[in-house]
Amino acid sequence: MALFGISISMWLVGVIGLSLYIVLYVISITIYGKKPGRNPFVLPSLLVKKPERTADDVINNQSARDSVLRQNFTGSRIPERLDAIVIGSGIGGLTAATLLARARKRVLVLEQHDVIGGCCHTFVDKGYEFDVGIHYIGEMRPGSFVRCLADQLTDGKLMWQPLDVDFDRVIVGCVDGGGKNRSVLVTGDRKEFAKRLAQEWPDDAAGIEAFFSLLDRLKRGSKLYWGLKLLPLPLARLLIKSGLCGLFSAYFRYLHISLKQYLDQHISSESLKSTLAYCFGDYGTPPGETSVVLHALLLNHFLRQGGFYPIGGPSEISFCSVPVIEKAGGRALVRAPVSSIVCNETTGRAVGVTVQRSRIPRTLTDCQLRSGHGAMSVFIGLRLPPGRCASTDPAFDDIRGRNLWLLSPSDSSAAETVDLQSIVNAYLSLDPQEAAAADPPLLFASFPSLKDPSWPRRRGDDRLTCAIVTFANWDWFSQYQEGRSGHRGRDYNELKNAIGRRMWELVKCQVPAVADLEVELFQVGTPLTNQHYINSPRGEIYGLDHSLSRLAPDSCAQLRPEMGPPGLLLTGQDVAICGFVGGMMGGLLCASAALNRNLIADLAKLIQADAKGILRRERPKAE
Ligand SMILES: Cc1cc2nc3c(=O)[nH]c(=O)nc-3n(C[C@H](O)[C@H](O)[C@H](O)COP(=O)(O)OP(=O)(O)OC[C@H]3O[C@@H](n4cnc5c(N)ncnc54)[C@H](O)[C@@H]3O)c2cc1C
């Protein structure tokens, strides 16, 4: 007899083994267990400053910002008696560092770039400010787990602006290239989104219903996925091997099914499949290579509360969290590339780092792990004619607080007949000259200045920014990697500008309101740009690829902070999942390992108690 394809005898072995393991584990913890560190969390209601901050409170003074975010590495700035060193200041590093600081640890953050923030940093050129790696984030409603964690990191100072209720527009095919194009607004109300899809593709109504009910089922199982990373590795593996994970959660039963496989089975229209898969650009692995579960995780992230944007731009994230680190005696220093980890010769324990002033070689040390795809980014600064104000001009209502996703933007008939995976594969296999002349098959376009209520005061209401992102093949640019940033030669510039100009043309076709504005700034970034500012080996933007093998339960359990020698812990998106929230979760797991306590449970308990008002009058022990 078999249950879920697993024989009863295997089950018995699994259950007996598991029980034995738990007993031994509890005994060993009781006898030898490390004492847990301090709970770092502050009662959420105590973080919220009264009166509430508003967009006018964002500090605009550049030297005030630089004095926090651009402190150069020098020997004299290294604090005495450090408890921890964090390498890299992306959201993963900052989360780990601030949580340790809240647990009264003195932390030094070392960043190779000239500004703190990793993918959350911004840059300013000709008065236009651009975010490089944060366009929108889900689940940021007050009281949510994710929001409470972000509040803890930033002392409750970071403010979030909800995007439009219809936060994404997906357009499949082109406006006037012949054939029909499809345009759907994605909303934070998933029932409404499902209804809109069924209206546009009535023949696939049953498949749409099945897809959304799967999203609901997978939403419930995600806790166990994170739990695997907190359990001791052998116990996590036992749960996986015994099949118990699959028994308790649909999450594990669907992990090995690719998004494409699922859609091919349930949906007939290619343009609908593309629409349902539209945001795979958010994690960078095409539908045939990734799991339907990861895609569901992302859709569930956005389809319940919509999208949010940090008021003041993403650099506010690091600007508000560095003071938390400093308050505990720590520092966050830039131009500090770490070239090696120093280990104690006898114990093998990591005890320090070497900082090398020149740039360091970038390699993936574990060849079993593949890096994800690289990307092209276009940053455009647009000036409005005198008398027009971007924040109130109805011409921009359709792109205010909304992103655009263009799929097959130059070929409506292909969008109806060819699957997205084949279109992406065909594009990425072009040679550089062909790529320069081709239309990218997927574009993400966003207008960050129209998302941020502090923009008009900070940067001027007659300025508007546009950022466009698409996939790129690292090999198109690898021959230029030895050149210095900004000095890579004419061929490199011609290639990247040709691709960038085409991206802009395709966006202008869909957004006539920006087509006639004066272009004051036009900058194109390639995978080499990403390699430069976040030190990614092949210019990939989402760290490790999100393929089926990386997402498999065993890899999930294995990719955890404690992968290196004792004393060295990993953080960020690569031990969790890509994205701002994935990076934060990586930091939370890392701080959990460093403090030897389950911080996910700690924060959940605190939020619950705070919501019930149980703790309102007492301050937590950490304070
Ligand atoms: C174009 C783009 C758009 C994106 N859009 C979104 C979005 O809209 N929403 C969302 O949620 N996510 C988005 N993401 C993804 C998100 O930004 C990342 O997943 C997340 O920020 C990664 O955080 P991290 O801390 O793991 O890594 P990173 O932010 O990459 O930080 C790593 C840091 O470590 C530093 N470093 C590396 N090696 C060394 C060394 N040896 N010494 C010192 N420092 C070192 C790097 O310079 C870098 O600052 C986007 C990413 C990109 C690139």
Side-chain angles (χ1 to χ4, degrees), residues 211-225:
F211 183 75
F212 280 82
S213 96
L214 179 68
L215 292 192
D216 288 342
R217 284 160 68 204
L218 294 179
K219 173 79 187 162
R220 290 191 288 272
S222 62
K223 286 193 186 105
L224 192 54
Y225 190 76

Side-chain angles (χ1 to χ4, degrees), residues 86-94 110-113 115-121 131-138 281-282 298 301-302 333 335-340 354-355 359-361 375-377 379 403 444 451 468-469 530-536 539-543 571-575 577-584:
V86 172
I87 306 167
S89 67
I91 189 59
L94 286 178
L110 297 173
E111 168 56 50
Q112 55 102 27
H113 194 34
V115 62
I116 294 290
C119 287
C120 300
H121 86 266
D131 35 31
V132 296
I134 299 290
H135 297 115
Y136 64 144
I137 296 168
D282 273 341
L298 181 72
H301 176 58
F302 284 115
L333 303 177
R335 297 181 194 274
V338 170
S339 57
S340 63
T354 312
V355 172
R359 293 190 67 80
I360 50 178
M376 300 288 299
S377 299
F379 304 100
N403 307 304
F444 168 87
K451 293 176 183 169
I468 316 172
V469 186
N530 298 325
Q531 189 196 56
H532 175 76
Y533 75 74
I534 55 172
N535 204 25
S536 54
E540 66 276 11
I541 56 175
Y542 305 114
T571 181
Q573 61 182 356
D574 288 340
V575 288
I577 224 140
C578 77
F580 176 82
V581 172
M584 265 201 317

Side-chain angles (χ1 to χ4, degrees), residues 454-511:
S454 76
W455 176 276
R457 176 180 63 85
R458 295 189 304 116
R459 303 280 167 204
D461 212 4
D462 58 345
R463 288 161 184 262
L464 199 140
T465 54
C466 172
I468 316 172
V469 186
T470 192
F471 287 113
N473 185 338
W474 162 257
D475 295 332
W476 296 340
F477 298 96
S478 55
Q479 59 173 308
Y480 307 106
Q481 63 180 311
E482 296 312 323
R484 217 160 27 99
S485 171
H487 301 83
R488 297 193 205 271
R490 207 180 61 186
D491 290 353
Y492 171 77
N493 288 338
E494 277 179 4
L495 173 60
K496 71 168 191 167
N497 287 332
I499 299 176
R501 275 195 303 272
R502 193 60 207 141
M503 290 163 71
W504 176 223
E505 289 306 318
L506 290 168
V507 169
K508 279 197 294 183
C509 284
Q510 304 289 356
V511 192

Side-chain angles (χ1 to χ4, degrees), residues 136 167-170 186 193 211 215 259 263 273-287 290 294-303 403-407 420 442-444 471 542 578:
Y136 64 144
F167 58 90
D168 276 341
R169 180 186 286 283
V170 185
V186 185
F193 181 40
F211 183 75
L215 292 192
L259 174 59
L263 293 174
K273 287 182 206 169
S274 299
T275 304
L276 289 172
Y278 80 97
C279 51
F280 80 88
D282 273 341
Y283 50 84
T285 307
T290 197
L294 173 68
H295 198 69
L297 194 72
L298 181 72
L299 286 176
N300 279 327
H301 176 58
F302 284 115
L303 291 186
N403 307 304
L404 279 186
W405 291 86
L406 311 183
L407 306 171
L420 202 50
L442 168 87
L443 291 171
F444 168 87
F471 287 113
Y542 305 114
C578 77

Side-chain angles (χ1 to χ4, degrees), residues 41-50 102 148 151-152 154-157 327 606 610 615-623:
F41 296 116
V42 177
L43 205 57
S45 55
L46 293 178
L47 286 174
V48 182
K49 299 281 168 293
K50 300 278 183 215
R102 283 210 176 283
C148 287
D151 285 348
Q152 296 283 333
T154 56
D155 227 1
K157 295 206 172 90
K327 204 168 147 194
L606 193 70
D610 197 40
L615 299 171
R616 212 159 286 269
R617 263 163 285 115
E618 34 172 294
R619 290 182 80 80
K621 287 192 180 115
E623 280 296 286

Side-chain angles (χ1 to χ4, degrees), residues 354-365:
T354 312
V355 172
Q356 176 178 306
R357 296 318 297 264
S358 54
R359 293 190 67 80
I360 50 178
R362 306 151 190 108
T363 49
L364 266 184
T365 47

Side-chain angles (χ1 to χ4, degrees), residues 139-263:
E139 296 180 87
M140 278 296 170
R141 258 199 212 142
S144 76
F145 183 89
V146 166
R147 171 62 181 271
C148 287
L149 180 54
D151 285 348
Q152 296 283 333
L153 309 183
T154 56
D155 227 1
K157 295 206 172 90
L158 183 63
M159 298 169 283
W160 295 93
Q161 176 69 26
L163 299 192
D164 190 90
V165 54
D166 297 329
F167 58 90
D168 276 341
R169 180 186 286 283
V170 185
I171 303 176
V172 186
C174 50
V175 177
D176 49 12
K180 183 177 181 312
N181 79 311
R182 312 274 197 159
S183 169
V184 183
L185 283 170
V186 185
T187 162
D189 175 348
R190 65 191 192 296
K191 286 202 178 121
E192 172 60 25
F193 181 40
K195 202 170 104 194
R196 288 177 191 174
L197 291 170
Q199 272 162 3
E200 181 70 27
W201 286 274
D203 294 347
D204 270 315
I208 294 169
E209 203 185 319
F211 183 75
F212 280 82
S213 96
L214 179 68
L215 292 192
D216 288 342
R217 284 160 68 204
L218 294 179
K219 173 79 187 162
R220 290 191 288 272
S222 62
K223 286 193 186 105
L224 192 54
Y225 190 76
W226 293 111
L228 282 186
K229 291 180 184 288
L230 284 166
L231 287 173
L233 187 56
L235 179 54
R237 285 204 159 132
L238 191 63
L239 280 173
I240 296 164
K241 290 259 151 57
S242 65
L244 285 173
C245 288
L247 181 69
F248 291 128
S249 147
Y251 210 78
F252 289 86
R253 293 199 293 280
Y254 281 87
L255 259 176
H256 66 283
I257 299 176
S258 80
L259 174 59
K260 178 170 162 28
Q261 233 176 321
Y262 181 89
L263 293 174

